[in-house]
Amino acid sequence: MKSVCAFCRSLSVILIGILPLISGAQTAPAARDVIRFEDLPRLVSERNENVAAARSTLEAEKVRTGFLGRSFLPEISLSGGGEVYKAGSASALSRENWKIEGRVNLYRGGRDRWEENAREAEVRRAQVASVAELADELKSARLTYWRLLAVEQSLAARMEARVQNEEQLKSARRRTGAGIATSSDAVQFELQDTVLHQEIKKLTKERTFLSDQLRASLGIADGGSLAIDQEFPHPPETDATVKPLEPLQAAAVRELVESEHVAQARARQESRWWTPSLDAYSSYGVPSAGEEPELASRRETEFIAGIRLGLNLPVGAESRAETQARRHEAQALRQRSTQMARQVAVLDVEIRGRLRLLH
């Protein structure tokens, strides 16, 4: 009976080692589909949706530029209709009317220029954010890749150890059956088998989770095959001699700096509330009877052209408040960028030290 149980246990261990190989042979991708560490930058850049979204945001900000030139384009409107007009005891008039109106911006106190400056700063901020998004997603993919590789190699080692432990267990049982050892000799191997079994289950679940996580980072469809290179390459010598990073060139700092530029441009724009607007305008058409009864009754056209100078005084108080608010925002962003630059400098020294040590 004991020999039968031992045979069953041996068979189960062999199956545990063989089944993953069989399933791997059925589902593993071809060699060209094996993901290498060097492939991650390309795959993340091409397939990750967060990276694609950052690029789309950048394109949106680029489209918004050119505001200054567009602000001088003429604004043209067309209108037409009919009405019935009656004044006092006079007979009612039923007339059609139409009009073409145009307006051209000549001067707005520099507010258009500062609007364009703000939009250009938004583009620069979006460019930095796009680079930072790619770096963050690539970092996440690389960490997941190395963790997955470590788990796969640990899992393979546990399976091999379990097979070896089973051999030791069978040997201990043979010695016990021959009367040259006690049954306690086999207990330690049985306990070790239980520990290895639990570790294999835990590592298998972790491998599934990390595979799904890496698949999501690389934009691979759920259920798609995923295999990674099984080697830990030694990092090149250049990785241990990375030059110090200029803190102001760090993406996190640059993004704060460009946000400050946006706030400054908005503040300058709001501070120009007191400057007048100068527009040229013209209109041509048949006026409505309510506007020009005589011309409307004769269906005569009317042409108007002129220059208009305007100043919106009631908006001044709100604009002054908004100017102050924007300046405070710019100051806050300047302070944050300064603090971030200090933290980046400290982190840069620490990371380069770790690189040399790990290398």
Side-chain angles (χ1 to χ4, degrees):
M1 186 66 179
K2 289 184 178 180
S3 61
V4 173
C5 294
F7 174 78
C8 293
R9 291 178 62 86
S10 301
L11 181 61
S12 64
V13 171
I14 294 173
L15 289 176
I16 289 174
I18 294 178
L19 285 178
L21 298 177
I22 297 175
S23 61
Q26 293 174 342
T27 61
R32 61 184 179 84
D33 294 327
V34 174
I35 297 173
R36 300 176 303 167
F37 184 75
E38 296 78 11
D39 298 331
L40 297 181
R42 175 181 58 83
L43 293 173
V44 170
S45 178
E46 293 176 355
R47 300 184 180 184
N48 188 278
E49 295 296 340
N50 286 334
V51 176
R55 285 197 292 261
S56 297
T57 300
L58 173 59
E59 293 303 318
E61 297 298 344
K62 287 181 178 180
V63 170
R64 292 191 177 100
T65 58
F67 174 84
L68 180 61
R70 293 194 299 270
S71 68
F72 292 104
L73 295 176
E75 298 179 8
I76 299 175
S77 62
L78 305 175
S79 62
E83 64 180 5
V84 177
Y85 175 77
K86 188 177 187 303
S89 59
S91 301
L93 286 176
S94 178
R95 293 289 186 270
E96 297 78 23
N97 61 82
W98 58 272
K99 183 183 292 187
I100 302 176
E101 295 179 291
R103 185 180 69 85
V104 178
N105 162 42
L106 300 179
Y107 178 71
R108 289 178 183 168
R111 291 188 292 275
D112 295 332
R113 163 57 63 185
W114 287 109
E115 174 66 27
E116 180 66 12
N117 289 346
R119 297 190 181 196
E120 290 175 352
E122 291 280 10
V123 171
R124 294 193 298 271
R125 180 170 64 179
Q127 287 174 334
V128 176
S130 179
V131 173
E133 189 75 46
L134 175 59
D136 288 342
E137 292 295 333
L138 181 56
K139 174 186 175 183
S140 177
R142 283 171 168 170
L143 289 175
T144 304
Y145 180 94
W146 290 129
R147 289 174 60 194
L148 176 59
L149 180 52
V151 167
E152 287 189 347
Q153 293 196 358
S154 296
L155 184 59
R158 297 300 189 282
M159 288 183 173
E160 182 180 357
R162 195 177 186 195
V163 172
Q164 294 175 355
N165 184 75
E166 180 62 25
E167 293 297 328
Q168 295 291 339
L169 178 59
K170 288 190 294 183
S171 177
R173 285 173 175 168
R174 284 195 299 268
R175 291 195 300 270
T176 301
I180 59 176
T182 63
S183 59
S184 60
D185 291 346
V187 172
Q188 60 177 331
F189 298 111
E190 292 175 349
L191 292 175
Q192 180 66 8
D193 181 74
T194 301
V195 171
L196 290 172
H197 176 66
Q198 292 174 347
E199 290 180 352
I200 288 172
K201 288 180 63 177
K202 179 180 177 181
L203 288 171
T204 301
K205 291 181 179 180
E206 188 173 0
R207 180 181 61 179
T208 301
F209 169 74
L210 291 173
S211 296
D212 292 341
Q213 193 174 30
L214 183 60
R215 185 181 290 109
S217 294
L218 302 182
I220 300 175
D222 292 342
S225 59
L226 181 66
I228 63 175
D229 191 0
Q230 294 297 309
E231 293 184 1
F232 274 109
H234 190 278
E237 295 293 334
T238 54
D239 283 359
T241 57
V242 178
K243 295 181 180 179
L245 173 68
E246 175 59 39
L248 294 180
Q249 295 303 316
V253 178
R254 290 171 56 199
E255 189 170 359
L256 288 171
V257 170
E258 294 303 337
S259 298
E260 177 193 346
H261 292 164
V262 173
Q264 289 175 343
R266 297 295 185 192
R268 294 294 298 271
Q269 183 185 36
E270 293 290 345
S271 69
R272 306 291 292 177
W273 65 268
W274 54 270
T275 56
S277 297
L278 183 63
D279 298 321
Y281 66 94
S282 65
S283 65
Y284 176 76
V286 177
S288 66
E291 295 174 348
E292 295 290 344
E294 294 184 4
L295 293 178
S297 64
R298 298 194 299 268
R299 291 187 173 85
E300 294 183 1
T301 59
E302 176 186 55
F303 175 76
I304 301 174
I307 295 178
R308 181 182 295 112
L309 184 67
L311 180 62
N312 193 357
L313 292 177
V315 80
E318 182 62 26
S319 294
R320 285 196 299 271
E322 187 64 23
T323 299
Q324 291 298 321
R326 294 289 187 178
R327 286 173 178 168
H328 286 304
E329 288 179 3
Q331 181 181 2
L333 290 165
R334 187 182 309 113
Q335 293 166 335
R336 289 184 182 277
S337 63
T338 301
Q339 181 64 25
M340 180 65 71
R342 292 171 181 167
Q343 294 173 347
V344 166
V346 173
L347 185 61
D348 178 57
V349 173
E350 180 184 0
I351 289 177
R352 286 187 289 109
R354 288 185 179 182
L355 278 175
R356 288 191 295 270
L357 178 61
L358 291 173
H359 193 275

